[in-house]
Amino acid sequence: MSSARKKTAVLISGSGTTLQSLIDAAQDEDFPADIALVISNKPAVKGLERAEKADIPTLVIPHRDYDSREAFDAAILNSLTEAGIELVCLAGFMRILTTGFTEHWLGRMLNIHPALLPAFRGNRAHEQVLASDVTITGSTVHAVIPELDAGPIIAQGAVPRLPGDDLPALSARVRDAEQLLYPLAVRTFLGAAAELPVTKGMLFSNNPNVTFGSAAAGARP
């Protein structure tokens, strides 16, 4: 393992399918991130099993144990600090983080969103897509800023919305793209070689101008 790899924590709330793509990518010695900690705000989720199977330390910090978002975020921050974490990846983490927490990690925290930002921000992105007339959707990895889903875009993966799509079908197609997208975005963000995946029915792009710890990562696109 290269000492140049960024010590990375992944925050989850559920099955951890995108987490698994990062775990798999990190098996490559050239991958610039070392997945060193997985934190879930929910106990007994599949994502924790995935981490444990890969011998990655895990923590459960239930948000319901805290009387405010600030207190919950402080508990997560303490755990990240104690573990020496350098990069935070949100992967299906279903909590809105406080401004103070976000500003602490400005330029060092990524999120994956199941739509092609800046369209369809916020919750229920797939439902928003299905209620629209768009024919292309996908997923976006962006640097996190205090404004929800508004940080600079690092990489995107586009897939078609097909006639007759329902929520499960659309979600599954976007999820398939996300497995390739998040590792691409981490490579791009950390300045590593990042070859765009070539997969039938998907189209990927990245933005190497938004880099780890840079001022650009804390600005709007």
Side-chain angles (χ1 to χ4, degrees), residues 5 27 32 39 53 56 63 89 94 101 104 117 119-120 130 133 135 144 150 166 168 170 190 198-199 202 206 212:
R5 300 176 80 185
Q27 301 307 306
I39 296 178
K53 185 176 180 180
I56 298 171
H63 62 275
C89 292
M94 304 306 291
F101 184 93
H104 179 90
L117 294 173
F120 308 116
L130 289 171
D133 59 0
T135 58
V144 178
D166 57 10
L170 185 64
L190 295 181
V198 179
T199 302
M202 301 179 189
N206 63 343
F212 175 82

Side-chain angles (χ1 to χ4, degrees), residues 167-202:
L167 182 58
L170 185 64
S171 299
R173 191 176 310 116
V174 172
R175 191 179 307 118
D176 287 345
E178 288 178 336
Q179 311 314 303
L180 300 173
L181 178 65
Y182 219 156
L184 165 67
V186 170
R187 286 184 177 276
T188 299
F189 191 60
L190 295 181
E195 185 175 345
L196 298 183
V198 179
T199 302
K200 184 177 180 180
M202 301 179 189

